[in-house]
């Protein structure tokens, strides 16, 4: 059966009248559209001193973005959880026995303790291993901490790479805290010369360099009631700090 429809020309006045009545009756009700006020004017970046000369030398290279295959370490099935963390660090020491600075640098005392980890596990400088997918490829990376004298802590990250192990991050500092936030490794250290503040550096995976890079570097206010090394309750005013000489993965 074919339904009879009202002609469109006759329906339009009724539709208009209904809409008008709806707007009048709904005025002031919850959910009605309201003005948001004046929109602030967008302010673009201002380039200061645009006539400054271009750099004539390349920036100092602290080693960020460099990676290194760990010799002699195999990762069957790409599972870094099957690895012995102590054996990983020992393999790096054997590959660089005389290096005490840079990405592979460890104190002589730390190397001696490392060689006695089996006999004296409580004195072993390699801390508990952590695992997290830092690269976004669906596989966990290996994250290690190595305690050294003078409150220094070396932080190293490794990724499974075609059956082998590649170090994608290595840095050391007087750290008071290390966090994992999403795919970032966040390092906390004391702010030298600025009481009540701490440095916070976030290392993130860079797919172009195929390495972890220090992507965010801040000075964070620490609440007075928090003890040294405690995580700030909420970040206060922050400012970018000048890059410090950190040894990253080679």
């Amino acid at each position: 059966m074919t339904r009879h429809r009202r002609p469109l020309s006759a329906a339009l006045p009724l539709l208009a009248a209904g809409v008008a009545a709806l707007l009048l009756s709904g005025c002031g009700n919850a959910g009605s559209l309201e003005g948001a006020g004046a929109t602030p004017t967008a302010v673009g970046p201002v380039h200061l001193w645009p006539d400054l000369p271009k750099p004539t030398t390349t920036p100092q290279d602290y080693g960020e973005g460099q990676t290194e295959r760990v010799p002699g370490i195999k990762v069957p099935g790409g599972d870094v959880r099957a690895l012995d963390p102590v054996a990983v660090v020992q393999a790096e020491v054997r590959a660089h026995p005389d290096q005490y600075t840079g990405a592979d640098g460890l104190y002589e005392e730390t190397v001696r303790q490392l060689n006695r980890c089996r006999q004296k596990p409580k004195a072993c400088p390699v801390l508990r291993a952590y695992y997290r997918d830092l690269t976004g490829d669906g596989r966990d990376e290996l994250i290690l901490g190595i305690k050294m004298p003078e409150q220094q802590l070396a932080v190293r990250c490794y990724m499974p790479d075609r059956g082998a192990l590649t170090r994608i991050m290595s840095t050391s500092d007087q750290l008071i805290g290390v966090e994992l936030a999403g795919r970032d490794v966040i390092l906390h250290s004391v702010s030298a010369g600025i009481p009540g503040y701490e440095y916070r550096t976030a290392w993130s995976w860079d797919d172009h360099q195929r390495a972890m890079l220090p992507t965010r570097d801040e000075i964070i206010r620490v609440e007075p009631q928090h003890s040294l090394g405690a995580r700030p309750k909420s970040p206060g005013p922050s400012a970018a700090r000048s890059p410090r000489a950190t040894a990253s993965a080679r």
Side-chain angles (χ1 to χ4, degrees):
M1 180 184 296
T2 303
R3 296 186 179 182
H4 297 283
R5 298 186 181 182
R6 186 188 300 271
L8 182 59
S9 58
L12 287 177
L14 295 176
L15 179 61
V19 171
L22 179 61
L23 292 176
L24 290 175
S25 63
C27 182
N29 290 343
S32 59
L33 298 178
E34 297 181 2
T39 302
T41 303
V43 179
V46 178
H47 297 279
L48 306 185
W49 307 295
D51 296 329
L52 289 175
K54 301 298 181 181
T56 57
T57 59
T58 57
Q60 184 176 357
D61 180 18
Y62 293 138
E64 287 92 347
Q66 299 177 0
T67 61
E68 181 176 285
R69 186 69 58 90
V70 181
I73 300 295
K74 303 298 180 182
V75 190
D79 183 11
V80 294
R81 293 175 180 267
L83 298 177
D84 180 357
V86 173
V88 170
V89 181
Q90 288 176 334
E92 292 184 307
V93 171
R94 287 194 299 268
H96 305 276
D98 300 321
Q99 189 162 343
Y100 302 104
T101 61
D104 295 288
L106 293 176
Y107 285 78
E108 292 185 15
E109 176 183 342
T110 305
V111 174
R112 288 194 297 268
Q113 292 175 330
L114 182 66
N115 292 331
R116 296 194 298 266
C117 281
R118 307 305 178 203
Q119 295 78 18
K120 299 181 178 180
K122 291 185 178 180
C124 183
V126 180
L127 303 180
R128 168 192 172 186
Y130 287 88
Y131 307 91
R132 178 70 63 93
D133 179 10
L134 301 174
T135 65
D137 64 355
R139 297 181 301 179
D140 282 341
E141 272 65 54
L142 170 64
I143 305 165
L144 295 182
I146 308 169
K147 290 179 63 177
M148 298 189 291
E150 301 179 7
Q151 296 182 327
Q152 292 280 326
L153 179 69
V155 178
R156 299 180 178 182
C157 299
Y158 309 82
M159 68 177 290
D161 185 11
R162 293 170 293 183
L165 190 68
T166 297
R167 189 177 66 204
I168 58 175
M169 171 185 169
S170 179
T171 187
S172 62
D173 204 343
Q174 288 185 329
L175 300 179
I176 56 177
V178 181
E179 294 178 296
L180 286 174
R183 288 163 49 190
D184 290 347
V185 179
I186 302 176
L187 310 181
H188 295 258
S189 59
V190 176
S191 174
I194 312 178
Y197 288 80
E198 72 176 28
Y199 291 132
R200 185 175 68 181
T201 304
W203 289 70
S204 311
W205 171 253
D206 183 275
D207 196 55
H208 178 71
Q209 292 290 330
R210 304 289 297 170
M212 297 289 287
L213 300 180
T215 53
R216 294 188 303 278
D217 211 6
E218 300 175 306
I219 298 178
I220 303 297
R221 173 68 176 167
V222 181
E223 297 296 334
Q225 66 268 26
H226 289 272
S227 61
L228 184 64
R231 181 179 179 181
K233 183 179 295 183
S234 60
S238 64
R241 64 183 173 98
S242 300
R244 291 178 298 150
T246 58
S248 68
R250 184 181 177 186

